[in-house]
Amino acid sequence: MAAPFLEKIAEYFGSPEPAIRLILSVLLGYPFALVYRCFFFHQSATVVHLFHTFSGLALATFNFGYQVGHSFLCVVIQFLMLRLMGRTVTCVLSSFIFQMIYLLMGYYYTATDEYDIKWTMPHCVLTLKLIGLALDYYDGGKEQSQISAEQKKSALGSTPSLLEVFGFSYFYGGFLVGPQFTLRNYQMLVSREMSDVPGQPPNSVVPAMKRFGLGLITLSIFAMGGPVYPASYYLTDEFEAHPFWYKCVYILVWVKVNLYKYISCWLITEGVCILSGLGYNGKNEKGEPQWDNCANVRVWLFETTPLFTGTISSFNINTNAWVARHVFKRLKFLGNKLLSQMFTLLFLAVWHGLHSGYLICFSVEFIIVNVEKQAQALVRDSPLLTSIAQSHLYPLVYVVQQLIHWLFMGYPLVPFCLFTYDKWLKVYSSIYFCGHIFFFAAFLVLPYLRKVFVPRKKGSEKKED
């Protein structure tokens, strides 16, 4: 009965059936959260774990059928590694290697040249959860003086039970599309600490509905704009025949519209987390409760920032935080920030999949971010450029910044969405590799501009002589 009904809905909206299943599953998080608040909030930890496990498994089975066995197997093996290997480097390395290899093998056997919704989509979220679990368990065995304040918040003081790990892994507010959260946060939810009224269901219905409403708005924008600006259009003869300026405008509008696909899902699932209490993040200086613990996007910053780094810091926040905490900062032993950043972006590229487009996307992002940092330093250190940026001309500067910003945000996302080299190479060739040329030129010119616009410090000329 369900399949024909879903086929009709998919046909009506002009969307693939797996996409309809995914959206329905994300929306089902709200009734699950309400059931938890009304019937399970005051139950024992065992009952709560069982509810979260079976509700998450139901959603996974609804979307992927028997392939739910992949996630089930990885959760069990991760638990066994924690128990058998303990708080050791061996456990951390074994967890990382096993979970990543399992994910990459999944990509290898299931990947196509199109964006498909299959079991590997939630599994990449689960992979980070389970690797993070091993790292947090390892940190819990260290002396308090040996770990950072950030690590102390997530470090595990005791060995979790199998049921606890299942509840954490399959929690309906994060299993399918994220966000990332720690087992420590999940434990606080189960122990009724994640509430503005400890021991009672949180007063989070209104904040949850606000995120839900905003999620529906962004979903509507994507539903209307996505079919008008599809990535497939890049590969048509019609796109090839358009002039250069048109192609640049298309990239600019396309990326803005299509990123709402991710934003809408994150906003809706954030509402689920807020409703359950997992989104609680303490109180601010005014004593008002904050509900952004599971925020995966900062909408206002995303919409207004003219900076690439601003968009990155406002988008997929929890994944970026996970990578910063567990990859970038743990590469401190390399003694080189730039090298740590390169390895971090390489990890992100591989985690997303085996297609060359991911590697190109994050390598271009690496170039863009570092060129932007140099440009910001130039403006900051130059009295003339700073005065222009702070003058009445800034609205014009802001508009130009935004146009450049969104054009070159879309530029690395073209290979990200087209996957294979024959496709993204065709598009890049049609726009004359303008992004690569622009940032390579900027990389060469910025040091010269610094000499022109930034005054030398007193005594520097004497030293040179």
Side-chain angles (χ1 to χ4, degrees), residues 291-306:
W291 303 102
D292 59 352
N293 188 53
C294 292
N296 223 9
V297 60
R298 296 187 181 96
V299 178
W300 180 253
L301 179 61
F302 176 83
E303 295 293 350
T304 59
T305 180

Side-chain angles (χ1 to χ4, degrees), residues 267-438:
L267 286 171
I268 293 171
T269 53
E270 184 189 347
V272 174
C273 292
I274 292 172
L275 190 60
S276 68
L278 192 65
Y280 181 65
N281 196 22
K283 296 183 179 181
N284 60 22
E285 295 175 353
K286 297 178 181 179
E288 301 168 334
Q290 301 177 107
W291 303 102
D292 59 352
N293 188 53
C294 292
N296 223 9
V297 60
R298 296 187 181 96
V299 178
W300 180 253
L301 179 61
F302 176 83
E303 295 293 350
T304 59
T305 180
L307 303 174
F308 300 100
T309 48
T311 299
I312 292 169
S313 63
S314 68
F315 189 84
N316 207 0
I317 297 167
N318 282 287
T319 300
N320 291 337
W322 187 100
V323 173
R325 185 170 72 252
H326 290 311
V327 181
F328 180 77
K329 292 179 181 178
R330 292 179 192 268
L331 291 174
K332 190 177 180 180
F333 67 90
L334 294 175
N336 187 307
K337 230 175 190 180
L338 208 60
L339 201 58
S340 296
Q341 187 183 3
M342 287 176 62
F343 278 114
T344 300
L345 291 175
L346 177 62
F347 170 79
L348 275 173
V350 174
W351 173 70
H352 275 91
L354 298 174
H355 290 302
S356 61
Y358 297 125
L359 192 60
I360 295 299
C361 170
F362 287 102
S363 61
V364 173
E365 180 185 311
F366 174 78
I367 296 169
I368 290 174
V369 167
N370 283 282
V371 169
E372 182 179 75
K373 287 179 179 177
Q374 291 184 41
Q376 284 180 287
L378 171 63
V379 174
R380 183 184 63 245
D381 297 339
S382 167
L384 175 62
L385 296 178
T386 299
S387 64
I388 293 173
Q390 295 175 349
S391 71
H392 63 279
L393 292 174
Y394 181 70
L396 177 61
V397 174
Y398 177 81
V399 170
V400 173
Q401 263 189 297
Q402 281 288 25
L403 292 174
I404 294 173
H405 165 216
W406 281 109
L407 170 60
F408 292 114
M409 275 303 300
Y411 189 82
L413 287 173
V414 168
F416 185 92
C417 293
L418 294 182
F419 303 129
T420 57
Y421 78 94
D422 55 320
K423 292 180 180 179
W424 57 258
L425 190 61
K426 179 182 179 182
V427 179
Y428 275 176
S429 298
S430 73
I431 54 176
Y432 315 112
F433 292 90
C434 63
H436 290 78
I437 294 172
F438 179 86

